Amino acid sequence: MKNYRPISLLVVLISIFSFAATTYALISNQGQGGYEYRSIFGKRVDIYGKGLYQHDSISMATQAIAQDYVTLFLGIPLLIISLLLARKGLIRGRLLLTGTLGYFLYTYASYSFLSMYNSMFLVYIIIMSASFFAFTLSMMSFDIPSLPQLFKDALPVKFISGFLLVVSTVFGMMWLGKVVPPMMLHIVPDGLEHYTTLVIQALDLGFVVPVGFLAAILLFRRRPFGYLLAAVITLKDVTLLTALSAMVILQVSTGVQISLVLIGIVLLINIVFLYTMIVILKNVKEVSGTIK
């Protein structure tokens, strides 16, 4: 695996700092408790009022806490395990590592730009930066032209491409439906609360949805880069959708109103992504060779 040593150092850095950030967020309890705040848009916002996310809304704080649990108990172990597998020269390990780094990049980019300022701000930036460079180096480590030969002929290309196309369309339409009508009516979109802009929608519409479409099209045409994009975005989204499922469950448990249809869609997509990940990894042809 090319760039193994710098990637390893960056993974260690990401693991240490994300462990510190998530652990502190989950055990911190300072603050006066929940209170109501009126935003610059005149909207009443229920503020969480305690811990690291004391200045965030209840909705956003519960989402962050749920994601911290997933990052701590799934993301970090997966990052370390995939690095060890990549160390053995396993293609599955390299794909899993790249996808997991994509999860950390997305997660801490959203924390850096969306969360209300808190004492972990510089830590978020460090993790975001380290994840970006590790993800880039990991993507560059693959020999793109040879990628189709690393997968078995039994790989269900049409199913994976179709699923990525459907998911990208669903999320694209969902976020456009949230953004476009308020823009046309010159009103504040639901869910903005006391934040300045829609960061998640910007990240998804700007990066995640287009990459999903591109991966689906290239894989369907059996282009080499499509194999890598489809595998990486699937592996990244397994972790991210698990975090999203945890967010939905925790929000419901704290009284946040969420559509049952939305809950069902999120859980269903999470399950199918998990199945797709298993299918992709089962159809990888492994080559021996431990990294020295």
Side-chain angles (χ1 to χ4, degrees):
M1 179 181 179
K2 298 177 183 177
N3 307 316
Y4 179 77
R5 288 189 177 180
I7 291 172
S8 299
L9 291 174
L10 290 169
V11 166
V12 170
L13 186 69
I14 294 165
S15 300
I16 292 172
F17 278 92
S18 57
F19 178 83
T22 53
T23 302
Y24 179 72
L26 294 174
I27 65 175
S28 60
N29 198 36
Q30 71 275 15
Q32 63 185 17
Y35 61 93
E36 190 177 274
Y37 175 82
R38 186 170 294 274
S39 75
I40 192 173
F41 303 106
K43 300 287 186 178
R44 293 189 303 173
V45 182
D46 291 322
I47 303 299
Y48 191 61
K50 60 181 180 179
L52 183 64
Y53 306 120
Q54 60 183 293
H55 301 303
D56 286 284
S57 67
I58 290 178
S59 174
M60 191 61 66
T62 52
Q63 291 180 61
I65 291 170
Q67 185 139 17
D68 286 335
Y69 275 114
V70 173
T71 299
L72 181 60
F73 294 109
L74 177 62
I76 297 174
L78 199 58
L79 191 63
I80 296 171
I81 291 170
S82 61
L83 180 66
L84 295 176
L85 293 175
R87 171 71 177 81
K88 296 180 179 180
L90 297 177
I91 302 300
R92 292 185 181 92
R94 294 172 60 189
L95 291 171
L96 193 59
L97 176 61
T98 309
T100 307
L101 286 169
Y103 164 79
F104 276 88
L105 174 57
Y106 181 96
T107 297
Y108 284 96
S110 63
Y111 276 39
S112 298
F113 300 126
L114 177 58
S115 297
M116 295 295 288
Y117 176 82
N118 61 51
S119 57
M120 290 289 109
F121 179 67
L122 282 179
V123 175
Y124 296 157
I125 293 176
I126 291 171
I127 301 171
M128 176 181 67
S129 178
S131 299
F132 171 76
F133 289 109
F135 177 77
T136 302
L137 289 172
S138 188
M139 288 286 286
M140 292 171 60
S141 72
F142 290 92
D143 180 20
I144 303 299
S146 68
L147 279 171
Q149 285 73 50
L150 298 178
F151 291 88
K152 300 175 184 177
D153 294 336
L155 180 72
V157 168
K158 292 182 179 179
F159 165 75
I160 298 170
S161 300
F163 175 60
L164 290 175
L165 196 63
V166 169
V167 171
S168 299
T169 301
V170 168
F171 277 95
M173 295 300 294
M174 181 175 69
W175 290 147
L176 287 174
K178 182 182 182 70
V179 173
V180 173
M183 289 180 63
M184 296 179 66
L185 297 172
H186 302 287
I187 60 175
V188 178
D190 290 335
L192 185 59
E193 299 179 315
H194 62 314
Y195 299 96
T196 58
T197 192
L198 300 171
V199 174
I200 299 300
Q201 287 72 19
L203 290 174
D204 285 357
L205 291 173
F207 297 103
V208 178
V209 171
V211 169
F213 280 121
L214 183 62
I217 294 170
L218 291 180
L219 181 63
F220 183 78
R221 295 180 177 178
R222 294 184 180 272
R223 300 292 175 83
F225 196 51
Y227 287 85
L228 178 59
L229 277 185
V232 169
I233 196 170
T234 297
L235 297 172
K236 188 247 348 165
D237 282 343
V238 166
T239 316
L240 193 62
L241 264 295
T242 301
L244 186 57
S245 298
M247 292 178 195
V248 169
I249 293 171
L250 189 57
Q251 282 184 294
V252 171
S253 68
T254 57
V256 177
Q257 296 298 317
I258 300 179
S259 167
L260 292 177
V261 175
L262 179 59
I263 295 173
I265 291 174
V266 169
L267 294 177
L268 177 61
I269 292 176
N270 192 5
I271 292 171
V272 180
F273 257 124
L274 181 60
Y275 169 75
T276 306
M277 179 192 74
I278 294 172
V279 168
I280 290 174
L281 294 179
K282 282 181 62 177
N283 283 278
V284 171
K285 296 178 183 177
E286 289 296 354
V287 291
S288 60
T290 302
I291 299 170
K292 303 299 182 182

